[in-house]
Amino acid sequence: MSEKKATLTIDGIEGAVELPVYSGSIGPDVVDVGGLTSKGLFTYDPGFVSTAACESEITYIDGGKGVLLHRGYPIDQLAAHSDYLETCYLLLYGELPDAEQKERFVSIVHNHTMVHEQIRTFFNGFRRDAHPMAIMCGVVGALSAFYHDSLDIADEHHRQVAAFRLIAKMPTLAAMSFKFSIGQPFMYPDNNLNYAENFLHMMFGTPCEASNVSPVLAKAMDRIFLLHADHEQNASTSTVRLAGSSGANPFACIAAGIAALWGPSHGGANEAVLNMLEEIGDVSRIDEYVARAKDKDDPFRLMGFGHRVYKNFDPRAKVMKESADEVLAELGLEDDPLLAIAKRLEEIALEDEYFIEKKLYPNVDFYSGIILKAIGIPTSMFTVIFAVGRTVGWIAHWNEMISGSYRIGRPRQLYTGHEQRDFVPLEQRG
Ligand code: SDX
């Protein structure tokens, strides 16, 4: 780490506090504030707006320039030339695989796609109208009860087995969540199909006829998984890291990440975007909704817009928008009314002073729902798709933490409650 220093002078504290400053390979320097507690001080940063919670080599984001790198490779190059499982290999191991490494990785994933038959019974405990994300929180957490042979998180091989099981089984469990909600039989994986084809086979196939998965839709599905694979220390990834820092079971940590992703401010936004576009209903009503999004007294926000880090275009949104045009054109849906509303809404918002001043641009969730709807995925499954894609990112960060030196995460607080006071017996209250 570098020898740079930050000097802090605080009223009432004798002398200045010297804090080490570290530089990464790219991006902002960080001030190591660990020594502040010895001065009786904490830092205060609700929402972790300017807090680097860890050191990582996996993903880099430059919010001002709209740059997203996975192990140094730009997301638009990976979306154009790679595929989801190859990107999984890159995120997990740090380098793109050669042909033999890729073939072996894909083969191992393919041979872990089935789930234990007992898992099927978990679904029967849910109401048919349960939200698929509620089901995924439950059944992924339940995997922690099934794999006692890969529980030593200090063992690299055990961590690898957990990674393969999660990447391979998430599509199977996701499709089962959908099938359960529509009362159709679960479909077993077909390992002759590639990752995205297999998912669509399990989603839309039935035991009554051979699956006929469209290569166009499968390619679009694979790209959606790839674009959601990882995104630095976002809320759900930070949740997985915090859960993992206590030494918890990796399947339980991923279930915690799924729960955090579900919120409409995070991964739940893709479902909220589609619902918003359908509520707007016509380009003539866009101005009314943009006005509501700007109204401080109206809780309505333009879903799919804004980002904690990106203050420029989310590079994933650009790729997603191109994919939406390609997929809808290939399906003869280029006149999709929701796409028309989305494009007009983007144009209006990007010309509006409020959005320009607050640097609110479309994010990854703005166009993804339009592609998913064209593929035939129901809106309630959109965040589940996000969770399937993001599983590799959660696991890569969990593995990076557990394989290094780490401590249990335990933030402090600014306490503003009562000072100490004596107990009041019941008869003396009121
Ligand atoms: C994801 O972190 C990640 O990397 C996440 C993610 C990933 O891959 O993991 O990229 C995935 O979660 C993308 C974001 C999806 N969420 C949405 O699209 C929901 C709509 N967006 C917002 O809720 C909001 O923009 C957030 C949650 C994304 C960001 O919230 P911040 O960083 O806390 O910003 P903020 O809420 O403080 O907003 C700053 C200002 C506020 O106005 P002021 O109080 O300063 O006057 O911008 C306004 C907000 O009111 N604002 C919006 C807005 N987003 C922010 N106003 C209208 N519409 C919006 N969408």
Side-chain angles (χ1 to χ4, degrees):
M1 297 289 188
S2 78
E3 288 310 308
K4 293 181 193 172
K5 293 279 182 213
T7 305
L8 207 49
T9 306
I10 301 168
D11 293 351
I13 298 251
E14 203 47 37
V17 183
E18 266 214 348
L19 300 167
V21 174
Y22 308 133
S23 300
S25 42
I26 40 179
D29 285 352
V30 297
V31 179
D32 180 346
V33 295
L36 280 182
T37 42
S38 64
K39 303 287 181 185
L41 291 165
F42 298 149
T43 56
Y44 183 63
D45 185 19
F48 307 124
V49 175
S50 57
T51 292
C54 63
E55 179 182 336
S56 180
E57 300 177 356
I58 298 170
T59 289
Y60 175 74
I61 301 171
D62 182 325
K65 295 179 186 153
V67 168
L68 168 57
L69 307 177
H70 288 323
R71 301 287 189 175
Y73 294 101
I75 188 67
D76 53 325
Q77 292 183 27
L78 291 170
H81 308 299
S82 187
D83 59 48
Y84 179 66
L85 284 187
E86 184 174 78
T87 302
C88 287
Y89 185 99
L90 172 66
L91 289 168
L92 288 169
Y93 302 117
E95 296 297 337
L96 289 167
D98 62 28
E100 188 196 337
Q101 289 165 329
K102 181 169 182 175
E103 186 184 352
R104 183 170 179 280
F105 184 80
V106 170
S107 165
I108 294 174
V109 170
H110 274 183
N111 288 295
H112 282 79
T113 48
M114 277 205 303
V115 293
H116 193 294
E117 280 293 293
Q118 283 293 103
I119 287 274
R120 302 162 71 93
T121 54
F122 276 93
F123 286 83
N124 293 328
F126 294 104
R127 288 176 23 171
R128 289 281 175 187
D129 62 351
H131 193 290
M133 282 298 277
I135 296 175
M136 289 297 282
C137 288
V139 294
V140 174
L143 290 179
S144 56
F146 281 80
Y147 297 113
H148 297 289
D149 64 345
S150 62
L151 264 182
D152 177 3
I153 60 172
D155 181 321
E156 183 185 4
H157 176 64
H158 283 190
R159 294 200 301 273
Q160 270 216 343
V161 171
F164 280 121
R165 280 175 163 152
L166 279 159
I167 292 168
K169 296 180 193 312
M170 282 294 278
T172 308
L173 294 170
M176 291 170 81
S177 303
F178 173 59
K179 285 298 197 187
F180 177 77
S181 70
I182 59 173
Q184 280 193 5
F186 297 144
M187 292 296 290
Y188 286 102
D190 175 350
N191 294 340
N192 296 309
L193 301 173
N194 69 36
Y195 193 84
E197 288 168 341
N198 207 0
F199 174 65
L200 296 179
H201 154 70
M202 293 186 285
M203 279 286 291
F204 301 116
T206 71
C208 316
E209 54 199 33
S211 274
N212 180 20
V213 177
S214 149
V216 169
L217 299 188
K219 181 171 178 297
M221 193 72 253
D222 189 270
R223 182 174 286 181
I224 291 263
F225 287 142
L226 189 155
L227 290 170
H228 288 85
D230 187 51
H231 210 239
E232 200 214 67
Q233 306 309 324
N234 59 85
S236 53
T237 300
S238 297
T239 300
V240 172
R241 277 182 174 260
L242 194 56
S245 73
S246 73
N249 176 292
F251 298 96
C253 295
I254 299 304
I258 293 172
L261 184 75
W262 191 3
S265 290
H266 191 14
N270 53 17
E271 178 177 353
V273 167
L274 238 291
N275 294 334
M276 174 186 73
L277 293 175
E278 284 170 349
E279 184 185 333
I280 292 173
D282 185 275
V283 291
S284 62
R285 298 184 63 203
I286 288 176
D287 290 337
E288 171 199 336
Y289 280 84
V290 169
R292 284 189 56 195
K294 293 155 61 175
D295 179 353
K296 278 278 154 257
D297 299 325
D298 190 328
F300 174 79
R301 284 196 164 182
L302 222 45
M303 301 314 281
F305 267 80
H307 199 278
R308 170 61 58 77
V309 177
Y310 290 122
K311 300 308 172 193
N312 196 322
F313 258 93
D314 178 335
R316 300 166 297 175
K318 278 184 180 174
V319 178
M320 211 67 93
K321 183 176 177 181
E322 289 156 16
S323 298
D325 284 333
E326 286 164 22
V327 171
L328 291 173
E330 302 228 15
L331 297 173
L333 300 171
E334 53 269 58
D335 299 332
D336 180 284
L338 291 182
L339 180 62
I341 295 172
K343 286 188 170 179
R344 185 68 191 118
L345 178 56
E346 178 186 351
E347 283 167 11
I348 293 173
L350 294 184
E351 288 161 7
D352 184 284
E353 243 340 281
Y354 173 93
F355 290 85
I356 293 168
E357 182 240 326
K358 295 188 186 294
K359 297 183 174 15
L360 302 175
Y361 289 84
N363 59 49
V364 67
D365 293 307
F366 189 62
Y367 282 104
S368 58
I370 288 165
I371 303 172
L372 292 171
K373 182 173 178 290
I375 293 174
I377 307 280
T379 308
S380 64
M381 283 291 290
F382 285 8
T383 310
V384 173
I385 302 293
F386 193 146
V388 172
R390 183 53 56 88
T391 293
V392 64
W394 290 332
I395 276 288
H397 282 275
W398 172 80
N399 187 55
E400 180 179 63
M401 176 181 73
I402 300 292
S403 59
S405 64
Y406 67 100
R407 304 173 70 186
I408 188 168
R410 206 289 187 201
R412 301 306 302 275
Q413 64 181 7
L414 172 67
Y415 177 70
T416 53
H418 285 285
E419 295 185 38
Q420 182 167 328
R421 52 182 174 163
D422 295 330
F423 181 77
V424 179
L426 180 59
E427 61 277 9
Q428 294 175 25
R429 294 176 210 156

